[in-house]
């Protein structure tokens, strides 16, 4: 499995596309910035550059030229009724390397403001001048949030952020592992509605010499003890709400039931998937459902369902397969697209209920975004978790620009007649009636009539973004020819890219790829396919369902679903007679959802002003489709601050 560092490598290659290139822009990617617009990055000077042009507009993305990766401690603040989304922002203060904690806020879960860096490496910015914090002066890595009774103003429930601070032994003598855990809290909670100002209490660090990636803490109601786990499967505890607020944590031990992986999470089984409540409630009434979801990130994001049994204070609990649901204890990949390091939390619904929402790091260009927020539900009939875009996102829709009920002829391509400019920033919802025989059908997007793209065995100044399964660093003399030779000798390798980067000067990385991606011009790269290849899907992409036909006596029907080169399996129930494909297009990326989120995919894909939509099928199929233009999400901090409260 690839680590986060390996996954980051393709994204941190500096370089810009050449003028008048026939290729789309590649992922720009910049290392964590130490130089911002007005000199070294520091509080008050945390704009890395101009806003990214031609970038996603309804996904959460840094608005001032900084790269980003993982979501951090996403949370709803019950004090002020504001949603907070933190993320790994690619900048650093002083001699640190970053990243730090970027910060977005929203009242309605639809419109957001970028209010910049919340938690800095090496500084507590709540004081004037800022207080130096040597224990985390290298970086602030991916943390988690909890709402704790007594942490808010006047003893109300309030927010605590728990984060891994990266240290060095020269500045922090106790630093042995390079990482520790610390807490940050709002500096003036009652008067600061957007929680712009954060402080690091004097009790920090809360635990020395840990590993990274603390999970969101969970509370054992029977004992009042809080627990969290880190990357290395180690579990820590705080005896009570008061102890957690005071930063009093202790080590419990290493759980063999929690596999060692990045960005872990443990949370209760979520609500039933809409339309399948009866099956869920049947098993719930018998007390036989799994109790918890355990999520990890290891070369992809995975979840497993099982039964979590708590224990006495300072004793490890257990997480085991649930009788009758043993198949769900096996690791299942959350999605197979450009998605990683996801982070979840419990959020309110408009009617005062609760729901589990997950966010992912979308590894797309120009320099990554956060995925759309996805509500996680459990479909007991299909025996799977589902992830659907939250209902609030429908508020971004403009009036439909296409709304058609039609019959797609065999081997037909039916253009929906949408103006090309709409395709850059839109949503299409297409429903297909399942036939009585095998068929392949779906949605075609992009420049539908764009010519095929040749990819030769050696192309200077060209990147092939995507498909990486191996990366190795080599001296400069190794070069592009050495990388090409590595690919030729590797049966799995279908294409390669040589990137000049790293130390010593002139050295570089060789990326081997398991398919041939569409070319994108980048001056620091040389790429090639193993053999001369012609791609028919560049500048256009199909999201399709390969339906094998009905199987009345089978428990499930498994259909292969694809978007471009990304492939997964959609489990259909015998009684289902329609399949929905819902696709969001946002300038440089696509999020696709099959059957209301039973399968999801995130793709790095360049849309152009010539992008259109069509429905396709290899057999005659009835379908209907609606296309909506989508609005931008960005507003000012004052607009969020002054907006009325919506959620309790």
């Amino acid at each position: 499995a690839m680590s986060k560092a390996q996954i980051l490598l393709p994204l941190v290659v500096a370089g810009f596309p050449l003028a008048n290139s026939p290729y789309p822009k590649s992922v720009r990617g910049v290392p964590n910035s130490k130089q911002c617009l007005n000199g070294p990055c520091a509080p008050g000077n945390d704009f890395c550059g101009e806003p990214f042009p031609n970038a996603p507009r309804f996904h959460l993305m840094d608005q001032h030229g900084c790269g980003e990766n993982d979501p951090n401690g996403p949370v709803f603040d019950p004090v002020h009724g504001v949603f907070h989304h933190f993320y790994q922002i690619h900048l650093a203060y002083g001699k640190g390397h970053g990243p730090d904690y970027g910060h977005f806020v929203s009242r309605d879960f639809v419109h957001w403001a970028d209010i910049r860096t919340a938690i800095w490496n090496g500084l507590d910015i709540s004081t004037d001048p800022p207080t130096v914090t040597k224990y985390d002066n290298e970086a602030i890595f991916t943390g988690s949030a909890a709402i704790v009774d007594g942490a808010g103003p006047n003893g109300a429930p309030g927010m605590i952020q728990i984060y891994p601070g990266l240290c060095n032994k020269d500045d922090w003598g106790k630093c042995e592992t390079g990482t520790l855990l610390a807490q940050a809290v709002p500096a003036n909670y009652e008067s600061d509605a957007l929680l712009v100002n954060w402080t690091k209490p004097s009790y920090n660090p809360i635990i020395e010499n840990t590993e990274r990636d603390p999970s969101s803490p969970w509370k054992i109601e029977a004992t009042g003890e809080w627990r969290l786990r880190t990357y290395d499967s180690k579990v820590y505890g705080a005896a009570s709400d008061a102890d957690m607020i005071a930063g009093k944590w202790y080590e419990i031990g290493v759980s063999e039931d929690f596999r060692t992986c990045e960005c872990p999470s443990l949370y209760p089984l979520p609500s039933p998937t809409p339309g399948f409540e009866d099956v869920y409630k049947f098993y719930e009434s018998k007390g036989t459902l799994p109790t918890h979801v355990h999520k990890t990130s290891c070369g992809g994001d995975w979840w497993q369902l099982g039964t979590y049994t708590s224990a006495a204070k300072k004793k490890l609990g257990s997480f085991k397969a649930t009788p009758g649901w043993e198949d769900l204890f096996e690791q299942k990949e959350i999605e197979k697209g450009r998605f990683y390091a996801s982070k979840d939390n419990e959020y309110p619904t408009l009617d005062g209920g609760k729901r589990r929402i997950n966010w992912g790091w979308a590894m797309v260009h120009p320099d990554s975004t956060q995925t759309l927020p996805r509500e996680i539900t459990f479909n007991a009939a299909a025996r799977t978790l589902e992830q659907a875009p939250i209902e609030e996102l429908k508020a971004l829709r403009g009036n439909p620009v296409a709304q058609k009920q039609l019959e797609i002829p065999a081997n037909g391509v039916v253009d929906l007649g949408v103006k090309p400019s709409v395709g850059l920033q839109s949503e299409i919802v297409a429903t297909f009636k399942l036939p009585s025989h095998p068929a392949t059908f779906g949605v075609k997007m992009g420049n539908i009539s764009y010519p095929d793209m040749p990819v030769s065995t050696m192309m200077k100044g060209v990147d092939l973004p995507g498909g990486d399964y191996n990366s190795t660093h080599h001296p400069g003399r190794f070069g592009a020819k050495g990388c090409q030779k590595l690919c030729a000798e590797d049966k799995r390798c279908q294409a390669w890219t040589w990137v000049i980067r790293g130390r010593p000067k002139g050295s570089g990385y060789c990326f081997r790829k398991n398919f041939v991606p569409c070319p994108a011009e980048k001056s620091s790269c040389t790429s090639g396919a193993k053999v001369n290849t012609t791609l028919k899907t560049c500048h256009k992409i199909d999201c399709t369902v390969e339906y094998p036909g009905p199987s009345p006596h089978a428990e499930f029907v498994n259909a292969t679903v694809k978007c471009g080169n990304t492939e997964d399996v959609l489990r259909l129930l015998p009684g289902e007679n329609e399949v929905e494909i819902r696709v969001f297009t946002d300038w440089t990326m696509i999020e696709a959802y099959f059957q209301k989120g039973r399968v999801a995919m995130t793709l790095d894909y360049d849309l152009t002003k010539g992008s259109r939509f069509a429905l396709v099928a290899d057999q005659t199929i009835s379908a209907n489709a609606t296309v909506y233009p989508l609005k931008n999400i960005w507003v000012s901090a004052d607009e969020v601050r002054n907006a009325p409260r919506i959620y309790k």
Side-chain angles (χ1 to χ4, degrees), residues 4 70-71 142 263 295 297 300-301 339-343 359-361:
K4 188 184 304 180
D70 306 10
T142 303
C263 305
K295 175 262 159 186
S297 299
D301 275 36
F339 176 99
Y340 193 66
S342 60
K343 206 74 173 174
W359 303 77
W361 164 27

Side-chain angles (χ1 to χ4, degrees), residues 28 30 48 52 62 65-69 87-91 367:
R28 181 173 74 90
V30 294
C48 300
F52 293 109
D62 188 277
C66 298
E68 66 190 75
N69 52 287
Y87 63 100
Q88 294 278 269
I89 185 172
H90 289 190
L91 50 68
D367 216 340

Side-chain angles (χ1 to χ4, degrees), residues 216-328:
S216 296
W218 67 91
K219 188 175 182 179
I220 310 297
E221 294 299 334
T223 64
E225 184 186 45
W226 285 89
R227 295 189 175 192
L228 63 81
R229 62 148 297 189
T230 47
Y231 165 83
D232 56 354
S233 306
K234 194 167 285 187
V235 179
Y236 298 91
S240 63
D241 294 340
D243 276 10
M244 185 172 174
I245 293 167
K248 296 178 180 179
W249 288 81
Y250 43 80
E251 181 180 326
I252 297 175
V254 175
S255 172
E256 295 183 358
D257 296 341
F258 294 154
R259 70 173 185 162
T260 295
C261 273
E262 297 180 306
C263 305
S265 182
L266 180 74
Y267 56 87
L269 186 73
S271 301
T273 300
F276 298 91
E277 293 90 348
D278 289 348
V279 180
Y280 184 106
K281 290 176 181 178
F282 170 78
Y283 289 111
E284 185 179 41
S285 68
K286 291 178 169 292
T288 58
L289 282 174
T291 66
H292 282 74
V293 178
H294 183 230
K295 175 262 159 186
T296 50
S297 299
C298 288
D301 275 36
W302 308 80
W303 48 32
Q304 59 179 154
L305 281 73
T307 297
Y308 177 72
T309 304
S310 60
K313 286 185 179 181
K314 299 186 178 182
K315 300 291 184 182
L316 289 172
S318 66
F319 183 62
K320 304 294 184 184
T322 304
W325 304 89
E326 289 86 355
D327 53 314
L328 303 190

Side-chain angles (χ1 to χ4, degrees), residues 387-455:
Q387 46 187 327
I390 62 171
E391 280 294 307
E392 287 89 334
L393 295 175
K394 291 179 179 178
L396 292 173
R397 292 173 174 174
N399 293 327
V401 293
Q403 204 164 12
K404 296 188 176 182
Q405 194 162 3
L406 48 87
E407 188 170 271
I408 310 167
N411 300 312
V413 178
V414 180
D415 194 323
L416 294 178
V418 175
K419 290 182 179 180
S421 59
V422 172
L424 283 169
Q425 190 173 325
S426 62
E427 175 192 358
I428 178 171
V429 183
T431 304
F432 301 84
K433 186 174 181 179
L434 290 174
S436 59
H437 46 73
T440 297
F441 51 86
V443 178
K444 183 183 288 289
M445 295 157 287
N447 287 354
I448 296 170
S449 58
Y450 200 88
D452 297 343
M453 176 72 73
V455 183

Side-chain angles (χ1 to χ4, degrees), residues 48-88:
C48 300
E50 298 299 323
F52 293 109
N54 303 322
R57 297 185 182 177
F58 60 83
H59 284 79
L60 289 180
M61 181 180 187
D62 188 277
Q63 293 298 290
H64 295 285
C66 298
E68 66 190 75
N69 52 287
D70 306 10
N72 289 344
V75 66
F76 173 76
D77 173 27
V79 175
H80 297 290
V82 174
F83 295 97
H84 294 263
H85 190 86
F86 303 89
Y87 63 100
Q88 294 278 269

Side-chain angles (χ1 to χ4, degrees), residues 25 171 238 244 259 319 419 422 432 461 464 486 538 546 580 597 644 646:
K25 293 181 180 179
D171 295 320
M244 185 172 174
R259 70 173 185 162
F319 183 62
K419 290 182 179 180
V422 172
F432 301 84
L464 293 176
L486 273 184
C538 294
E546 296 177 4
E580 179 189 275
I646 300 173

Side-chain angles (χ1 to χ4, degrees), residues 444-518:
K444 183 183 288 289
M445 295 157 287
N447 287 354
I448 296 170
S449 58
Y450 200 88
D452 297 343
M453 176 72 73
V455 183
S456 67
T457 57
M458 178 73 72
M459 301 179 294
K460 189 174 182 179
V462 172
D463 187 16
L464 293 176
D468 302 321
Y469 68 88
N470 180 276
S471 64
T472 50
H473 188 257
H474 302 274
R477 64 180 179 275
F478 184 84
K481 289 186 177 179
C483 188
Q484 183 184 38
K485 185 172 183 291
L486 273 184
C487 183
E489 295 170 348
D490 183 348
K491 289 183 179 180
R492 186 180 178 189
C493 184
Q494 300 301 311
W496 55 273
T497 292
W498 170 254
V499 183
I500 300 172
R501 193 193 80 232
R503 296 178 181 176
K505 186 176 180 180
S507 63
Y509 284 87
C510 177
F511 293 90
R512 280 175 273 173
K513 301 165 184 292
N514 57 15
F515 66 88
V516 183
C518 293

